[in-house]
Amino acid sequence: MTKILRSALLLILCLTISVSVFAGCSKKDNNDNISSKNQTSSDVTSEDEPSSEPEDVSSEETIEDDIWDDEYIEDDFDYGDEASDEEVFIGNATVKNGSSPVMTTYRGFGSIVHQMYEYMPYKNKQNEYTEEQAQEQFNRMQTIGIDLIRSDWNTYMTYDASTQDFDFENTAYIKAFYKAGLELKKRNIDIGITTGWSHHALVDDSSSIGSKELYVEGNWNATLNNWLTWMEKSILNFRSHGLTNLNTLILFTEPGKVDWNDTNAKNRGDGKDDAYRIDMWNKWIECAKALDASLKEMGLRDKYILVGPNQATYSDGYRGNAGDFMKYVAERGGDEYLDVYSSHNYVKPNDATQDTCYDFMQITYKDYLLDQLRNEVGSTKPFWIDEWNVGEVGYAQLHRESPWRGTQLGVCATAIMEFGIENSMLWTLYSQQWPNNTQSSGEFTNGIQMCGLALGLNFTTVPTTQYYAFALLSKFLSTTDIVYTVEYDNAYGLYYAYATNKNGDITIIAVNAYSGGAQGFELEFEKSLGGKTLYRHLYDPTTCKADGTTQILPADRAYKSVENKLVDLLPTGGFAIYTSIKA
């Protein structure tokens, strides 16, 4: 029986209570508002500033019924004369914040894939940024809490064809790279680079993307030495030009994916453990070991995080193509030279209103990749998702307006935290023009990779609706580092996650992924929150309206004196952040 069908049957058994749905991003009619006596609900839109402070309510006064003890209901609580009656399912959950945490090194959702192209020359000259547009884009990233970007780093940026040598000072590309990196540094945003983008260009020159100048046909040792020398010069020049915020080295993009180019078809054999694949994997290991050793020799190993193998994983089909690459590396001593293991996949429901995204995350990460790493190999190294997003059917053209994708981003976030995944990099926040690309195929349109939750600001200041959902995650989770277990039954489309930090700030996620109506919840805390005030930021896919100015959906409610329980009602598709951080 599907989750949605189970939820529909349960609605018949639920108590009839007076409820309403708060506006998430836009104004709603008065009869849709919950209000307390002598209080008015806050009508908040993404176009307008809030007219007043968020409505103050007690932590347990959102839903009223006999299932709650009298001590949790204020005597003067009133839903308003015009509120309608609905049958609403109430979910119960317990935060185990008095027990051992899931992890204490959590990095939140402030990591994204973002190419440092703002100041680079484009073949499509009309798409180049003005200084004002570039500054605004950097500022917006800072506003929503972005703290780490993963960028392309490629040989063409430093190669001078006239001298047939590398120049780390004078090319237009390298100057643009340094400039963008320093702008990120001003905003406390760290940088991770893919170390030459394509491993395939080193192994057999089969990729048209990057590193081709390093390849020596028939001589792997010479190629490896060329790449290592180029990386050493890159690192030293980054530091000498002030890019000390460039501290993460991601070893290539999808290096184990052998079907990159059809010219390799003859080498793939049965598509499983053929010689070509194993040779490619072994050469990646040589690159990783060589870079690790080189950083140690330079006295810089403690300044950089080495991440790999950055594989593409096909959990919904044949896994052997690349999905076992991480296990292969871990079994052959990966813990000795890697700081972080990584893999990626895209969540692709046939319909974004389907409550299937959590299941997809569990199959891909908990039951497959993390099971391999933790149980089969026994590694305790951190695991990152180095690319992810939610897209209907495919991941190309992710910029398409799809408000329910915002809901599902929230669902995936709860899974990431529950499974103990330290970090995740969204591909991507902005659609971007690639400097030397003009093609229109696949995920590209006139050389613009159309995978962002927003177009670059050189095109429009208005993002997709789902951008606001991700902005809530990146803003309020990027400062947390401790995640605790939440016990609940997710069969009814309700999902939760809980995080805090050493300063005592608290952020809670609650998502109603049920497409058939509003649902309420009771969230009990194993350890009292000590009377904290929690501010609610609600994303409602049915009402949210994008505009060119709003970045963070403002709080619409403040739950005062929260001790042992939080009670609330979420609209259809509602995704809420409850946080002690007053933004």
Side-chain angles (χ1 to χ4, degrees), residues 6 12 97 179 186 213 237 248 263 412 437 479 556:
R6 284 196 294 268
I12 301 172
N97 58 327
K179 184 176 180 180
K186 289 178 187 176
E213 297 87 355
N237 277 280
T248 303
T263 59
C412 291
N437 195 324
T479 60
D556 66 344

mmCIF file with all atom_site columns, all heavy atoms in Angstrom, residues 6 12 97 179 186 213 237 248 263 412 437 479 556:
data_model
loop_
_atom_site.group_PDB
_atom_site.id
_atom_site.type_symbol
_atom_site.label_atom_id
_atom_site.label_alt_id
_atom_site.label_comp_id
_atom_site.label_asym_id
_atom_site.label_entity_id
_atom_site.label_seq_id
_atom_site.pdbx_PDB_ins_code
_atom_site.Cartn_x
_atom_site.Cartn_y
_atom_site.Cartn_z
_atom_site.occupancy
_atom_site.B_iso_or_equiv
_atom_site.pdbx_formal_charge
_atom_site.auth_seq_id
_atom_site.auth_comp_id
_atom_site.auth_asym_id
_atom_site.auth_atom_id
_atom_site.pdbx_PDB_model_num
ATOM 1   N N   . ARG A 1 6   ? -2.239  5.056  2.292   1.00 0.00 ? 6   ARG A N   1
ATOM 2   C CA  . ARG A 1 6   ? -2.359  4.838  3.730   1.00 0.00 ? 6   ARG A CA  1
ATOM 3   C C   . ARG A 1 6   ? -2.795  6.108  4.436   1.00 0.00 ? 6   ARG A C   1
ATOM 4   O O   . ARG A 1 6   ? -3.610  6.089  5.354   1.00 0.00 ? 6   ARG A O   1
ATOM 5   C CB  . ARG A 1 6   ? -1.020  4.346  4.298   1.00 0.00 ? 6   ARG A CB  1
ATOM 6   C CG  . ARG A 1 6   ? -0.727  2.902  3.983   1.00 0.00 ? 6   ARG A CG  1
ATOM 7   C CD  . ARG A 1 6   ? 0.373   2.387  4.885   1.00 0.00 ? 6   ARG A CD  1
ATOM 8   N NE  . ARG A 1 6   ? 1.632   3.055  4.629   1.00 0.00 ? 6   ARG A NE  1
ATOM 9   C CZ  . ARG A 1 6   ? 2.545   2.605  3.778   1.00 0.00 ? 6   ARG A CZ  1
ATOM 10  N NH1 . ARG A 1 6   ? 2.333   1.502  3.105   1.00 0.00 ? 6   ARG A NH1 1
ATOM 11  N NH2 . ARG A 1 6   ? 3.682   3.245  3.609   1.00 0.00 ? 6   ARG A NH2 1
ATOM 12  N N   . ILE A 1 12  ? -9.797  9.234  7.649   1.00 0.00 ? 12  ILE A N   1
ATOM 13  C CA  . ILE A 1 12  ? -11.151 8.909  8.072   1.00 0.00 ? 12  ILE A CA  1
ATOM 14  C C   . ILE A 1 12  ? -11.208 8.701  9.571   1.00 0.00 ? 12  ILE A C   1
ATOM 15  O O   . ILE A 1 12  ? -12.215 8.989  10.231  1.00 0.00 ? 12  ILE A O   1
ATOM 16  C CB  . ILE A 1 12  ? -11.633 7.638  7.336   1.00 0.00 ? 12  ILE A CB  1
ATOM 17  C CG1 . ILE A 1 12  ? -11.596 7.875  5.821   1.00 0.00 ? 12  ILE A CG1 1
ATOM 18  C CG2 . ILE A 1 12  ? -13.015 7.229  7.799   1.00 0.00 ? 12  ILE A CG2 1
ATOM 19  C CD1 . ILE A 1 12  ? -11.871 6.627  5.015   1.00 0.00 ? 12  ILE A CD1 1
ATOM 20  N N   . ASN A 1 97  ? 17.217  14.071 21.720  1.00 0.00 ? 97  ASN A N   1
ATOM 21  C CA  . ASN A 1 97  ? 18.285  15.045 21.988  1.00 0.00 ? 97  ASN A CA  1
ATOM 22  C C   . ASN A 1 97  ? 18.925  14.874 23.355  1.00 0.00 ? 97  ASN A C   1
ATOM 23  O O   . ASN A 1 97  ? 19.817  15.645 23.719  1.00 0.00 ? 97  ASN A O   1
ATOM 24  C CB  . ASN A 1 97  ? 17.767  16.479 21.826  1.00 0.00 ? 97  ASN A CB  1
ATOM 25  C CG  . ASN A 1 97  ? 16.597  16.787 22.744  1.00 0.00 ? 97  ASN A CG  1
ATOM 26  O OD1 . ASN A 1 97  ? 15.779  15.922 23.046  1.00 0.00 ? 97  ASN A OD1 1
ATOM 27  N ND2 . ASN A 1 97  ? 16.504  18.035 23.182  1.00 0.00 ? 97  ASN A ND2 1
ATOM 28  N N   . LYS A 1 179 ? 40.193  36.728 -8.936  1.00 0.00 ? 179 LYS A N   1
ATOM 29  C CA  . LYS A 1 179 ? 39.288  37.817 -8.533  1.00 0.00 ? 179 LYS A CA  1
ATOM 30  C C   . LYS A 1 179 ? 38.020  37.257 -7.903  1.00 0.00 ? 179 LYS A C   1
ATOM 31  O O   . LYS A 1 179 ? 37.575  37.721 -6.839  1.00 0.00 ? 179 LYS A O   1
ATOM 32  C CB  . LYS A 1 179 ? 38.939  38.694 -9.740  1.00 0.00 ? 179 LYS A CB  1
ATOM 33  C CG  . LYS A 1 179 ? 38.089  39.907 -9.389  1.00 0.00 ? 179 LYS A CG  1
ATOM 34  C CD  . LYS A 1 179 ? 37.855  40.797 -10.606 1.00 0.00 ? 179 LYS A CD  1
ATOM 35  C CE  . LYS A 1 179 ? 37.013  42.009 -10.233 1.00 0.00 ? 179 LYS A CE  1
ATOM 36  N NZ  . LYS A 1 179 ? 36.774  42.892 -11.418 1.00 0.00 ? 179 LYS A NZ  1
ATOM 37  N N   . LYS A 1 186 ? 36.023  37.294 0.893   1.00 0.00 ? 186 LYS A N   1
ATOM 38  C CA  . LYS A 1 186 ? 35.464  38.425 1.633   1.00 0.00 ? 186 LYS A CA  1
ATOM 39  C C   . LYS A 1 186 ? 34.178  38.029 2.352   1.00 0.00 ? 186 LYS A C   1
ATOM 40  O O   . LYS A 1 186 ? 33.844  38.603 3.392   1.00 0.00 ? 186 LYS A O   1
ATOM 41  C CB  . LYS A 1 186 ? 35.149  39.579 0.684   1.00 0.00 ? 186 LYS A CB  1
ATOM 42  C CG  . LYS A 1 186 ? 36.342  40.295 0.104   1.00 0.00 ? 186 LYS A CG  1
ATOM 43  C CD  . LYS A 1 186 ? 35.858  41.374 -0.856  1.00 0.00 ? 186 LYS A CD  1
ATOM 44  C CE  . LYS A 1 186 ? 37.009  42.030 -1.601  1.00 0.00 ? 186 LYS A CE  1
ATOM 45  N NZ  . LYS A 1 186 ? 36.520  43.020 -2.602  1.00 0.00 ? 186 LYS A NZ  1
ATOM 46  N N   . GLU A 1 213 ? 46.106  19.157 -22.172 1.00 0.00 ? 213 GLU A N   1
ATOM 47  C CA  . GLU A 1 213 ? 47.495  19.582 -22.345 1.00 0.00 ? 213 GLU A CA  1
ATOM 48  C C   . GLU A 1 213 ? 48.466  18.743 -21.518 1.00 0.00 ? 213 GLU A C   1
ATOM 49  O O   . GLU A 1 213 ? 49.683  18.808 -21.729 1.00 0.00 ? 213 GLU A O   1
ATOM 50  C CB  . GLU A 1 213 ? 47.652  21.060 -21.965 1.00 0.00 ? 213 GLU A CB  1
ATOM 51  C CG  . GLU A 1 213 ? 46.864  22.015 -22.844 1.00 0.00 ? 213 GLU A CG  1
ATOM 52  C CD  . GLU A 1 213 ? 45.435  22.227 -22.349 1.00 0.00 ? 213 GLU A CD  1
ATOM 53  O OE1 . GLU A 1 213 ? 45.040  21.547 -21.376 1.00 0.00 ? 213 GLU A OE1 1
ATOM 54  O OE2 . GLU A 1 213 ? 44.732  23.062 -22.929 1.00 0.00 ? 213 GLU A OE2 1
ATOM 55  N N   . ASN A 1 237 ? 50.257  28.833 -6.263  1.00 0.00 ? 237 ASN A N   1
ATOM 56  C CA  . ASN A 1 237 ? 49.799  30.122 -6.786  1.00 0.00 ? 237 ASN A CA  1
ATOM 57  C C   . ASN A 1 237 ? 48.491  30.562 -6.139  1.00 0.00 ? 237 ASN A C   1
ATOM 58  O O   . ASN A 1 237 ? 48.282  31.754 -5.927  1.00 0.00 ? 237 ASN A O   1
ATOM 59  C CB  . ASN A 1 237 ? 49.661  30.060 -8.305  1.00 0.00 ? 237 ASN A CB  1
ATOM 60  C CG  . ASN A 1 237 ? 50.981  30.296 -9.007  1.00 0.00 ? 237 ASN A CG  1
ATOM 61  O OD1 . ASN A 1 237 ? 51.421  31.431 -9.167  1.00 0.00 ? 237 ASN A OD1 1
ATOM 62  N ND2 . ASN A 1 237 ? 51.627  29.212 -9.431  1.00 0.00 ? 237 ASN A ND2 1
ATOM 63  N N   . THR A 1 248 ? 39.707  22.764 -0.371  1.00 0.00 ? 248 THR A N   1
ATOM 64  C CA  . THR A 1 248 ? 39.130  21.442 -0.637  1.00 0.00 ? 248 THR A CA  1
ATOM 65  C C   . THR A 1 248 ? 39.492  21.016 -2.056  1.00 0.00 ? 248 THR A C   1
ATOM 66  O O   . THR A 1 248 ? 39.245  21.765 -3.016  1.00 0.00 ? 248 THR A O   1
ATOM 67  C CB  . THR A 1 248 ? 37.604  21.469 -0.455  1.00 0.00 ? 248 THR A CB  1
ATOM 68  O OG1 . THR A 1 248 ? 37.290  21.912 0.872   1.00 0.00 ? 248 THR A OG1 1
ATOM 69  C CG2 . THR A 1 248 ? 36.997  20.095 -0.677  1.00 0.00 ? 248 THR A CG2 1
ATOM 70  N N   . THR A 1 263 ? 33.734  6.173  -27.801 1.00 0.00 ? 263 THR A N   1
ATOM 71  C CA  . THR A 1 263 ? 34.933  5.538  -28.348 1.00 0.00 ? 263 THR A CA  1
ATOM 72  C C   . THR A 1 263 ? 35.445  4.440  -27.424 1.00 0.00 ? 263 THR A C   1
ATOM 73  O O   . THR A 1 263 ? 36.235  3.595  -27.832 1.00 0.00 ? 263 THR A O   1
ATOM 74  C CB  . THR A 1 263 ? 36.065  6.572  -28.545 1.00 0.00 ? 263 THR A CB  1
ATOM 75  O OG1 . THR A 1 263 ? 36.374  7.164  -27.282 1.00 0.00 ? 263 THR A OG1 1
ATOM 76  C CG2 . THR A 1 263 ? 35.645  7.646  -29.518 1.00 0.00 ? 263 THR A CG2 1
ATOM 77  N N   . CYS A 1 412 ? 14.503  15.350 1.291   1.00 0.00 ? 412 CYS A N   1
ATOM 78  C CA  . CYS A 1 412 ? 15.849  14.807 1.109   1.00 0.00 ? 412 CYS A CA  1
ATOM 79  C C   . CYS A 1 412 ? 16.788  15.302 2.207   1.00 0.00 ? 412 CYS A C   1
ATOM 80  O O   . CYS A 1 412 ? 17.669  14.562 2.670   1.00 0.00 ? 412 CYS A O   1
ATOM 81  C CB  . CYS A 1 412 ? 16.402  15.209 -0.255  1.00 0.00 ? 412 CYS A CB  1
ATOM 82  S SG  . CYS A 1 412 ? 15.564  14.410 -1.648  1.00 0.00 ? 412 CYS A SG  1
ATOM 83  N N   . ASN A 1 437 ? 31.609  27.583 -24.165 1.00 0.00 ? 437 ASN A N   1
ATOM 84  C CA  . ASN A 1 437 ? 30.541  26.686 -24.598 1.00 0.00 ? 437 ASN A CA  1
ATOM 85  C C   . ASN A 1 437 ? 29.415  27.489 -25.232 1.00 0.00 ? 437 ASN A C   1
ATOM 86  O O   . ASN A 1 437 ? 28.953  28.494 -24.669 1.00 0.00 ? 437 ASN A O   1
ATOM 87  C CB  . ASN A 1 437 ? 30.016  25.911 -23.381 1.00 0.00 ? 437 ASN A CB  1
ATOM 88  C CG  . ASN A 1 437 ? 29.173  24.708 -23.771 1.00 0.00 ? 437 ASN A CG  1
ATOM 89  O OD1 . ASN A 1 437 ? 28.434  24.749 -24.742 1.00 0.00 ? 437 ASN A OD1 1
ATOM 90  N ND2 . ASN A 1 437 ? 29.282  23.642 -23.002 1.00 0.00 ? 437 ASN A ND2 1
ATOM 91  N N   . THR A 1 479 ? 25.055  26.694 10.103  1.00 0.00 ? 479 THR A N   1
ATOM 92  C CA  . THR A 1 479 ? 25.784  26.970 11.345  1.00 0.00 ? 479 THR A CA  1
ATOM 93  C C   . THR A 1 479 ? 25.651  25.846 12.369  1.00 0.00 ? 479 THR A C   1
ATOM 94  O O   . THR A 1 479 ? 26.176  25.944 13.469  1.00 0.00 ? 479 THR A O   1
ATOM 95  C CB  . THR A 1 479 ? 25.271  28.270 11.997  1.00 0.00 ? 479 THR A CB  1
ATOM 96  O OG1 . THR A 1 479 ? 23.872  28.132 12.287  1.00 0.00 ? 479 THR A OG1 1
ATOM 97  C CG2 . THR A 1 479 ? 25.470  29.456 11.067  1.00 0.00 ? 479 THR A CG2 1
ATOM 98  N N   . ASP A 1 556 ? 6.917   33.655 10.076  1.00 0.00 ? 556 ASP A N   1
ATOM 99  C CA  . ASP A 1 556 ? 5.518   34.048 10.217  1.00 0.00 ? 556 ASP A CA  1
ATOM 100 C C   . ASP A 1 556 ? 4.981   33.777 11.608  1.00 0.00 ? 556 ASP A C   1
ATOM 101 O O   . ASP A 1 556 ? 3.885   34.200 11.954  1.00 0.00 ? 556 ASP A O   1
ATOM 102 C CB  . ASP A 1 556 ? 4.640   33.352 9.166   1.00 0.00 ? 556 ASP A CB  1
ATOM 103 C CG  . ASP A 1 556 ? 4.572   31.849 9.356   1.00 0.00 ? 556 ASP A CG  1
ATOM 104 O OD1 . ASP A 1 556 ? 5.420   31.294 10.089  1.00 0.00 ? 556 ASP A OD1 1
ATOM 105 O OD2 . ASP A 1 556 ? 3.676   31.215 8.772   1.00 0.00 ? 556 ASP A OD2 1
#
